[in-house]
Amino acid sequence: MLLAACSDDVAVSPADAAVSAATADVPSDTAAFSDALDVASDLSPVDAASKDAPDAPRCNPLAITDDCLLPWPSDLLTRPDPSTPTGRRLNLPENVLQVAPGRVNVDVTPFNRADGAPSTAPILVHFGELVAPEFLADYTQTARSLEATSAIALFDLTHMRRVPFLAEMDANRIAGATDRAALIIRPLEPLPFGARVVVAIRRAVRTPGGTPLRPSSGFVALRDRTPSTDPRIEAARPDYETLFSFLATQGYARDDLHLAFSYTVASERHVLGPIVAMRSEVIRRAGIAGQIPFTIERVQDAPNSNVARIVTGTFTPPGWLDARNTITFAADGTPEIQPMSPSYPFTMVIPARAMRERRPLPLVMFGHGVFGTGRDYLTGDIARVIHPLAEQAGAVVVATDWI
């Protein structure tokens, strides 16, 4: 079976050449560090007052501004959970995400199921001011992100290597509101499931005006070995000593660091487990007659020289969305199938050569634009492209709608 989709033409970026050397190995003398580092392994938000960050019990203890979940992702916003493959679980406090006045707060319960951050998650740091462009790395400068002199560094500790990235200021800020722009660090490759990642930013980084960036009082306490009133910072000290030792071996001396933190990438079981379970159930049912009911509503024979038949109808696959369009999970983390499932339309194009050759043909599942329908693509204007391709490839093309 083949999957196909429509898309706009995309030019090859100059970054592609730079990313060809996408990883730079970390010196082997730090190999033991992957077992030693467990930053803030026993930490979780506490109900204690603190002067280290705004509303500290509900914030990342490394927060710099009132965008107090940043830096993100962060191991300091997780809790230990030995039942997960990573040994961690997100621990976001309720009502902590900023929303516009009058809007309903985001429910963090679904997020707190995760045992780490997405493998392609952008890293966000909010200094409350802009970072000068010379310290960033745009799409033409990705090789710079791997250099030992880079002011910003990203390390995959599990595999002991540097990771290439783009670094930019958020261009979606309100015009003139430079204090609302986040620094965005974008890894240029999916990070391995379950990997531990460290972000390091040197004190040499400046604003466009040449002034130092605002510090994180929590990080300063860790770096400078000064007391903190936040028990999470105090509990993190032993593991941060290991973190500082590792970064020193990579040329990022403790005293030269403006900010450093780690996070854990979610496990394969968490990220792919639910969808793999759904796929397996659909495949199981597909092999049993009547388990995936369908109705043929119309058959159109030989609409043109490329097509033998167009079949339209509906099918009723197993469903996992409840009445709120939410997936519910069993205690073991598998998605729960719902007792009732709606039906969906399908359109099938059978090429003319099927009638001539009288043999099984491959199946192409056609993925279409978000704002279109499968039927429009296989019977509307774009059919003048799809139909000849189906005939040329000798493939049956099937499309449905985004569900």
Side-chain angles (χ1 to χ4, degrees):
M1 182 171 70
L2 175 69
L3 300 180
C6 58
S7 175
D8 295 331
D9 292 337
V10 179
V12 177
S13 164
D16 293 340
V19 181
S20 62
T23 60
D25 292 339
V26 170
S28 59
D29 59 356
T30 62
F33 182 73
S34 60
D35 294 328
L37 179 65
D38 188 11
V39 180
S41 61
D42 296 321
L43 299 182
S44 60
V46 295
D47 295 323
S50 171
K51 299 177 182 178
D52 289 342
D55 195 16
R58 299 164 50 74
C59 294
N60 188 326
L62 300 181
I64 299 169
T65 70
D66 60 351
D67 278 330
C68 74
L69 284 186
L70 307 187
W72 171 264
S74 170
D75 278 332
L76 292 172
L77 292 171
T78 67
R79 59 180 175 84
D81 187 340
S83 71
T84 71
T86 65
R88 310 214 63 78
R89 187 82 72 178
L90 259 61
N91 195 26
L92 302 177
E94 289 292 339
N95 301 326
V96 73
L97 297 177
Q98 293 191 10
V99 296
R103 298 293 181 90
V104 176
N105 278 297
V106 176
D107 180 9
V108 298
T109 303
F111 302 103
N112 283 341
R113 288 190 58 256
D115 62 359
S119 62
T120 56
I123 299 158
L124 305 177
V125 184
H126 191 242
F127 295 110
E129 50 199 342
L130 301 181
V131 173
E134 58 264 32
F135 299 104
L136 306 176
D138 66 22
Y139 73 93
T140 67
Q141 303 166 322
T142 53
R144 176 197 292 182
S145 68
L146 297 173
E147 295 175 354
T149 56
S150 176
I152 302 172
L154 191 59
F155 296 94
D156 170 2
L157 296 178
T158 302
H159 300 88
M160 306 309 293
R161 63 195 180 94
R162 294 182 74 133
V163 177
F165 59 85
L166 301 178
E168 61 181 346
M169 298 306 299
D170 184 7
N172 291 319
R173 65 181 185 273
I174 299 173
T178 57
D179 61 329
R180 304 313 301 169
L183 168 65
I184 307 176
I185 302 169
R186 303 182 187 274
L188 286 177
E189 60 186 49
L191 295 167
F193 294 123
R196 296 295 299 275
V197 180
V198 164
V199 182
I201 301 175
R202 286 189 166 119
R203 294 173 81 170
V205 176
R206 293 289 188 270
T207 69
T211 58
L213 295 173
R214 296 181 190 175
S216 159
S217 58
F219 179 75
V220 169
L222 293 165
R223 182 195 64 203
D224 298 349
R225 301 184 178 92
T226 55
S228 168
T229 58
D230 191 329
R232 295 171 295 171
I233 293 295
E234 295 302 310
R237 290 187 187 277
D239 289 318
Y240 252 87
E241 290 303 312
T242 308
L243 173 64
F244 288 130
S245 296
F246 165 74
L247 290 173
T249 67
Q250 308 308 309
Y252 291 79
R254 181 186 194 124
D255 291 343
D256 291 338
L257 292 170
H258 183 79
L259 182 65
F261 58 96
S262 77
Y263 69 92
T264 301
V265 180
S267 66
E268 183 173 6
R269 188 179 80 183
H270 173 75
V271 175
L272 298 181
I275 194 67
V276 169
M278 294 178 193
R279 181 193 64 181
S280 298
E281 178 62 15
V282 171
I283 291 174
R284 185 190 72 81
R285 293 189 178 212
I288 304 174
Q291 286 293 300
I292 302 182
F294 65 91
T295 301
I296 295 177
E297 297 175 340
R298 184 186 180 200
V299 177
Q300 185 180 7
D301 289 325
N304 57 60
S305 60
N306 290 303
V307 175
R309 186 169 292 167
I310 295 178
V311 181
T312 58
T314 62
F315 69 108
T316 308
W320 284 267
L321 295 177
D322 63 16
R324 301 170 300 161
N325 282 331
T326 299
I327 297 176
T328 59
F329 294 88
D332 63 358
T334 57
E336 296 180 316
I337 196 165
Q338 300 299 310
M340 300 294 292
S341 179
S343 296
Y344 301 96
F346 75 85
T347 302
M348 177 185 295
V349 173
I350 303 173
R353 62 193 297 177
M355 303 301 290
R356 299 191 306 269
E357 300 180 8
R358 298 291 180 174
R359 62 178 177 84
L361 297 181
L363 182 68
V364 172
M365 298 296 296
F366 184 83
H368 58 81
V370 174
F371 298 108
T373 67
R375 195 154 299 174
D376 287 343
Y377 273 86
L378 296 194
T379 62
D381 289 343
I382 201 171
R384 67 181 185 275
V385 176
I386 303 300
H387 292 179
L389 285 177
E391 172 68 358
Q392 180 181 353
V396 176
V397 181
V398 180
T400 185
D401 298 340
W402 289 113
I403 298 173

